[in-house]
Amino acid sequence: MIAEEQEPVGKNMEKLVFEGVRDFDPDQIFDCGQCFRWEKQPDGSYIGPALGVVARVSYESGGRLVIEKLAGSRPLLEEEWRHYFDLDRDYGEIKKLLSSKDDILAEAIKYGQGIRILNQDKWETLISFIISQNNNIPRIKKCIEKLCERFGECIGEISCEKSGSSSQESVARDPVCRWMMPRPQVLAALSPEDLEDVRLGYRARYIIETARAVSADGGETLKRTEAMTSSEAYQYLTGLCGVGPKVANCIMLFSMGKCDSFPIDVWVRRVMSELYGFSESDVRGMRSFAAEHFGEYGGIAQQYLFYYIRERK
DNA sequence: TTCCAGGTGGCAT
DNA sequence: ATGCCACATGGA
């Protein structure tokens, strides 16, 4: 796989091109529940905040992945984006391995053949999945955007219209800011009342308490989690307020590269009961089955199953 | 009106 | 360790 970095064209324009990228479907990657801030554009590309910039991601079936910087002061670094999209992992091999485990998973993999697990920002993922608990995806997205808009720093301004808005006139609009997830120290200084208009409900307290715990050491421990073993990271995360087994596993899978993490939520319980014959309440059994049967790529298997059951409900 | 959404904290056994 | 249940919010 060859990556080529193009020189800036005009002011503040940068582009990263990866050729020969396989097992990559933007719709599946951005809409399989692992991230909440990438927005689909009318042309099929996605715009979102990541790695300190606002970027546009587009993919052609030939295997050409293009990342354009739309705003932000950070440069596009090939190594960072390669890691973000997990491009060094051979999903073809993993799919072959997992498909041989059982026919149910093989079917789910056929359905979500272009899924990849992102390596997202740990702090943003932590907060996002605290918000996700006992909540639905559209509202999770709204809460995150409101939280960022109200308390986050502006990454940069873009003039591109948001998807969904049916604008007949294609007049250039006023620049719109995209906002970062507010830093731990910022959220740590808030009180629940400050967060009222974000509509987080009872989760507001969890976020503030977790922000205080994380910022207590300047985020050093959270930063170190990637180098920890899965169980060390799990211990640290579940020690934070609002982080239980499910949320911890999501954070580990979607931001720390712990591919064996197997988050069990209502949808996975549904899969495991409807397709694998478990009792809905037997979370214990599901966990150990996943560890033994799916093995080191259990988390990736979980994503195929999650996407599969959710898309055909 | 009731039920549900990528669950967890707090409390009683 | 395990089993309940309250917890805000908004859409179906």
Side-chain angles (χ1 to χ4, degrees), chain A residues 3-267:
Chain A
E4 122 198 11
E5 215 164 337
Q6 297 186 354
E7 286 303 307
V9 184
K11 81 166 188 176
N12 202 24
M13 256 297 278
E14 265 182 277
K15 197 197 245 182
L16 219 49
V17 181
F18 295 94
E19 303 278 3
V21 176
R22 289 182 296 168
D23 312 305
F24 193 108
D25 184 329
D27 290 328
Q28 295 176 357
I29 290 169
F30 293 129
D31 195 36
C32 70
Q34 63 178 322
C35 56
F36 301 101
R37 302 197 64 196
W38 288 92
E39 293 179 347
K40 188 167 187 174
Q41 303 305 121
D43 68 353
S45 68
Y46 281 80
I47 293 179
L51 297 168
V53 303
V54 182
R56 179 200 296 278
V57 172
S58 34
Y59 179 79
E60 294 153 31
S61 48
R64 182 180 169 88
L65 170 64
V66 180
I67 298 157
E68 297 167 85
K69 182 164 101 176
L70 303 182
S73 48
R74 267 181 75 87
L76 295 182
L77 300 179
E78 190 216 312
E79 219 30 63
E80 288 185 350
W81 284 91
R82 180 184 287 281
H83 184 242
Y84 186 83
F85 284 114
D86 211 18
L87 295 183
D88 289 329
R89 200 184 296 281
D90 187 344
Y91 280 74
E93 272 310 304
I94 292 171
K95 286 190 287 187
K96 204 190 301 178
L97 176 69
L98 289 176
S99 293
S100 72
K101 302 281 187 182
D102 67 74
D103 294 342
I104 300 162
L105 183 53
E107 182 64 24
I109 287 172
K110 222 168 15 163
Y111 199 74
Q113 45 75 32
I115 290 175
R116 274 172 180 271
I117 307 296
L118 299 174
N119 287 294
Q120 302 176 78
D121 178 76
K122 297 176 192 57
W123 168 245
E124 179 173 321
T125 306
L126 168 57
I127 295 303
S128 297
F129 278 92
I130 289 176
I131 292 172
S132 80
Q133 66 178 91
N134 202 31
N135 210 342
N136 58 65
I137 291 179
R139 214 175 79 83
I140 295 164
K141 291 181 177 174
K142 284 180 195 165
C143 287
I144 292 171
E145 284 311 317
K146 265 188 270 188
L147 179 64
C148 294
E149 180 174 354
R150 182 76 180 75
F151 297 103
E153 295 168 33
C154 179
I155 300 166
E157 293 176 337
I158 58 173
S159 49
C160 194
E161 74 266 23
K162 283 188 166 186
S163 68
S165 57
S166 54
S167 56
Q168 255 59 347
E169 82 284 23
S170 57
V171 183
R173 301 191 167 189
D174 289 338
V176 177
C177 236
R178 289 304 305 260
W179 309 88
M180 277 191 357
M181 175 58 67
R183 299 177 187 285
Q185 314 87 272
V186 174
L187 296 183
L190 300 179
S191 64
E193 304 86 75
D194 298 322
L195 287 168
E196 262 173 14
D197 41 330
V198 184
R199 315 304 285 164
L200 292 166
Y202 65 92
R203 306 168 194 85
R205 182 177 69 86
Y206 297 170
I207 285 173
I208 292 166
E209 288 195 24
T210 285
R212 288 177 183 167
V214 169
S215 62
D217 69 346
E220 278 310 307
T221 308
L222 184 61
K223 214 167 283 177
R224 283 196 330 100
T225 49
E226 190 145 9
M228 295 181 190
T229 66
S230 288
S231 83
E232 285 171 336
Y234 182 86
Q235 286 306 312
Y236 170 68
L237 290 170
T238 52
L240 298 170
C241 185
V243 181
K246 191 286 182 172
V247 168
N249 276 297
C250 282
I251 299 163
M252 290 164 61
L253 182 59
F254 302 138
S255 74
M256 296 173 183
K258 314 290 190 201
C259 289
D260 56 331
S261 301
F262 192 83
I264 299 175
D265 66 353
V266 289
W267 293 101

